[in-house]
């Protein structure tokens, strides 16, 4: 079973690291719609990967990813259209719920 744990730990590490990178890019760049769109794709893929790691451990990467998605949405109307399909995702803490709701409001997703 140690093999599975090692693989699991590695996945958690990679997902967290990539989530931080996505977050940082979204915070510092003047995104074109094209770069924002590809950043969104990456964030959504990682959001899916987060579901495969332990709930306690997914708080940090999820927060990073939701912030990134919010930043991307804020930049471009065209991307807001795409985020109308923001996947429902487990929201491990209050901060994540708040950011998720902000994104939904920004994109006029209602409840």
């Amino acid at each position: 079973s140690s093999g599975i744990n090692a693989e699991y730990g590695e996945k958690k590490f990679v997902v967290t690291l990539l989530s931080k990178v996505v977050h940082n890019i979204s915070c510092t760049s003047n995104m074109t719609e094209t770069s924002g769109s590809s950043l969104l794709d990456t964030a959504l893929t990682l959001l899916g990967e987060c579901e495969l790691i332990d709930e306690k451990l997914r708080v940090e990467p999820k927060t990073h990813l939701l912030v990134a998605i919010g930043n991307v949405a804020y930049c471009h109307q065209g991307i807001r259209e795409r985020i109308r399909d923001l996947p429902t995702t487990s929201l491990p803490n209050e901060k994540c719920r708040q950011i998720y709701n902000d994104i939904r409001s920004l994109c006029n997703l209602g409840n």
Side-chain angles (χ1 to χ4, degrees):
S1 74
S2 66
I4 289 178
N5 286 343
E7 194 177 306
Y8 175 86
E10 201 169 291
K11 182 177 199 63
K12 186 250 168 194
F13 174 75
V14 170
V15 169
T16 303
L17 188 67
L18 289 174
S19 301
K20 282 181 181 168
V21 171
V22 167
H23 172 270
N24 289 340
I25 292 171
S26 80
C27 289
T28 56
S29 68
N30 297 320
M31 282 175 277
T32 62
E33 190 154 344
T34 308
S35 66
S37 204
S38 64
L39 197 63
L40 175 65
D41 289 336
T42 306
L44 292 173
T45 301
L46 285 168
L47 210 52
E49 292 293 312
C50 278
E51 297 299 340
L52 305 176
I53 60 180
D54 187 274
E55 192 150 359
K56 288 189 197 72
L57 299 177
R58 73 174 73 130
V59 175
E60 185 193 357
K62 276 216 166 160
T63 305
H64 287 315
L65 291 169
L66 288 169
V67 168
I69 292 168
N71 288 342
V72 170
Y74 191 76
C75 287
H76 294 287
Q77 174 62 43
I79 292 175
R80 286 198 283 281
E81 298 296 320
R82 284 196 52 203
I83 299 175
R84 287 175 193 279
D85 299 326
L86 188 65
T88 52
T89 181
S90 64
L91 298 165
N93 65 6
E94 191 50 50
K95 185 175 183 185
C96 283
R97 280 190 284 278
Q98 185 59 56
I99 301 166
Y100 186 81
N101 289 334
D102 289 347
I103 295 168
R104 290 178 67 89
S105 303
L106 180 65
C107 301
N108 300 320
L109 292 165
N111 297 312

